[in-house]
């Protein structure tokens, strides 16, 4: 057993080390982002031992009053230490810090590539449509696909509906940021030009694509923020797929098979949002794009 005097000396030393980290944050000598990343890498460090309240309170410009709201928004308990956050909480806090850092650096909102993905029939389309309605300023990538249009879908708005030959040409001429065969037959891809144009001109842009696409975008552009939408439950997902009436039963069965394996990809994403309320899910995505 450790000598109690030794144990208390260690505790005093740890407290002193945490206080030193807080001072460097307060003085702006270290960025909040670098302190957090250090805490997540080195679980025994002074940084990891900081309570999230102490950490946030040491960031210049964040007063006592703001802390509970920020933690509530991020879904983090005020009692948590920085080094003990779960994967999901790390993802949300990281996104929040990145957006904040960038806003500090540029004085205006930074452009962001946000990829919204999730298991089939989770309601990505509905959430994205709600964002369009409520935030006409947000830009969206329009994918190209070889699948035929559904009733009510417009070329150039919902998708660029192209032939197999045209799709081949887009791939061969390197005009696709990523592309994939989705649900076993049709091809879908993200045109590269409009994404780069949006980011270069300081606009954020949302991509609503499948999970393999999200992985490929992250590989090509690691700064992309990957958002995983999940349904409140598996039963709810089956119900949504069966009641939307856009697929026949064979296609429904195929999409459910895909959805099962898609759930496993959640841990690869930066943030998870539960789609139990379309308005709330839509606002959560926009919040990630704009919050500082
Ligand atoms: P739907 O046929 O229902 O419009 O879309 C089927 C799937 O294709 C959805 O999961 C959607 O996210 C995905 N998807 C749409 N556009 C793209 C894209 O550009 N790239 C990839 N990889 N998937 C896409």
């Amino acid at each position: 057993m450790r000598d109690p005097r030794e144990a208390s000396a260690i505790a005093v030393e740890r407290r002193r080390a945490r206080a030193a980290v807080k001072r460097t944050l307060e003085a702006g000598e270290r960025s909040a982002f670098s302190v957090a990343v250090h805490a997540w890498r080195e679980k025994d460090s002074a940084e990891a031992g900081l309570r999230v309240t102490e950490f946030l309170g040491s960031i210049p410009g964040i007063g006592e009053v703001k802390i509970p709201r920020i933690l509530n928004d991020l879904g983090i308990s005020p009692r948590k230490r920085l080094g003990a956050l779960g994967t999901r909480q790390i993802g949300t806090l990281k996104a929040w810090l990145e957006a904040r850092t960038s806003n500090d650096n540029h004085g205006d909102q930074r452009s962001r590539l946000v990829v919204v993905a999730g298991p089939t029939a989770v309601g990505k389309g509905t959430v994205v449509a709600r964002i369009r309605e409520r935030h006409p300023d947000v830009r969206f990538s329009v994918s190209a696909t070889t699948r035929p249009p559904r009733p009510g879908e417009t070329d150039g708005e919902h998708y660029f509906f192209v032939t197999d030959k045209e799709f081949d040409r887009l791939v061969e001429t390197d005009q696709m940021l990523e592309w994939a065969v989705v649900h076993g037959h049709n091809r879908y891809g993200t045109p590269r030009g409009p994404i780069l144009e949006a980011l270069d001109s300081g606009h954020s842009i949302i991509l609503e694509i499948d999970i393999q696409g999200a992985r490929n975008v992250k590989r090509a552009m690691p700064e992309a923020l990957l958002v995983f939408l999940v349904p409140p439950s598996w039963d709810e997902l089956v119900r949504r797929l069966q009641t939307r009436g856009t697929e026949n039963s064979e296609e429904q069965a195929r999409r459910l098979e895909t959805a099962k394996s898609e759930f496993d990809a959640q841990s690869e994403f930066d943030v998870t949002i539960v789609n139990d309320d379309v308005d709330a899910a839509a606002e959560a995505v926009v919040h990630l794009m704009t919050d500082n």
Side-chain angles (χ1 to χ4, degrees):
M1 249 219 344
R2 195 180 263 163
D3 178 334
R5 274 166 308 178
E6 192 192 332
S8 93
I10 291 173
V12 168
E13 184 42 47
R14 289 213 169 127
R15 204 169 310 129
R16 200 173 286 149
R18 288 200 298 275
V21 174
K22 287 200 283 181
R23 273 197 304 277
T24 56
L25 257 176
E26 281 159 3
E29 289 162 16
R30 278 180 82 186
S31 74
F33 193 78
S34 81
V35 169
V37 168
H38 189 99
W40 298 327
R41 265 200 216 121
E42 308 281 340
K43 297 286 185 202
D44 286 324
S45 61
E47 286 82 346
L50 284 177
R51 289 206 190 275
V52 283
T53 44
E54 294 178 291
F55 168 67
L56 289 175
S58 307
I59 301 175
I62 297 186
E64 292 290 327
V65 184
K66 282 191 195 163
I67 298 173
R69 181 184 65 81
I70 297 170
L71 288 173
N72 187 40
D73 283 353
L74 299 174
I76 297 175
S77 149
R79 299 191 52 76
K80 279 267 180 188
R81 291 190 188 272
L82 211 46
L85 298 179
T87 317
R88 193 181 298 182
Q89 293 170 327
I90 290 178
T92 354
L93 182 54
K94 205 163 149 195
W96 183 85
L97 288 169
E98 275 179 336
R100 206 191 134 74
T101 311
S102 164
N103 286 347
D104 283 348
N105 291 345
H106 301 295
D108 57 5
Q109 209 167 293
R110 99 157 163 179
S111 56
R112 201 149 213 200
L113 177 60
V114 177
V115 181
V116 177
T120 185
V122 68
K124 278 172 295 187
T126 318
V127 170
V128 166
R130 190 62 49 88
I131 299 175
R132 273 183 203 275
E133 256 168 57
R134 293 199 161 186
H135 299 274
D137 46 321
V138 172
R139 294 194 182 188
F140 294 88
S141 157
V142 179
S143 299
T145 180
T146 57
R147 92 151 159 72
R150 294 188 186 127
E153 285 183 334
T154 314
D155 187 42
E157 188 185 324
H158 297 92
Y159 284 105
F160 293 108
F161 295 100
V162 298
T163 61
D164 266 316
K165 214 166 152 202
E166 284 165 334
F167 202 99
D168 285 342
R169 199 187 60 81
L170 289 169
V171 174
E172 279 157 19
T173 51
D174 202 27
Q175 292 187 60
M176 291 301 205
L177 178 63
E178 62 77 38
W179 68 271
V181 176
V182 181
H183 304 309
H185 47 177
N186 290 311
R187 284 186 290 171
Y188 296 78
T190 308
R192 188 191 299 275
I195 308 267
L196 299 183
E197 190 273 320
L199 296 177
D200 283 350
S201 60
H203 292 93
S204 292
I205 184 159
I206 296 185
L207 272 66
E208 182 230 321
I209 58 178
D210 83 325
I211 289 167
Q212 2 168 19
R215 273 190 200 115
N216 291 335
V217 169
K218 189 83 176 176
R219 215 166 286 142
M221 303 180 76
E223 68 276 26
L225 180 76
L226 303 193
V227 178
F228 197 79
L229 273 188
V230 287
S233 68
W234 175 258
D235 289 350
E236 177 59 19
L237 184 126
V238 175
R239 195 193 64 76
R240 286 180 192 178
L241 185 60
Q242 287 170 347
T243 53
R244 71 180 181 181
T246 44
E247 288 85 11
N248 59 31
S249 57
E250 193 190 326
E251 181 68 20
Q252 282 176 15
R254 182 164 34 213
R255 288 190 176 216
L256 277 178
E257 267 316 299
T258 315
K260 272 187 205 145
S261 59
E262 285 172 337
F263 262 94
D264 298 338
Q266 191 171 336
S267 60
E268 297 168 46
F269 280 65
D270 298 306
V271 184
T272 297
I273 293 176
V274 180
N275 182 21
D276 49 1
D277 177 277
V278 177
D279 283 330
E283 289 311 314
V285 174
V286 174
H287 186 71
L288 285 170
M289 297 177 82
T290 56
D291 186 43
N292 64 355

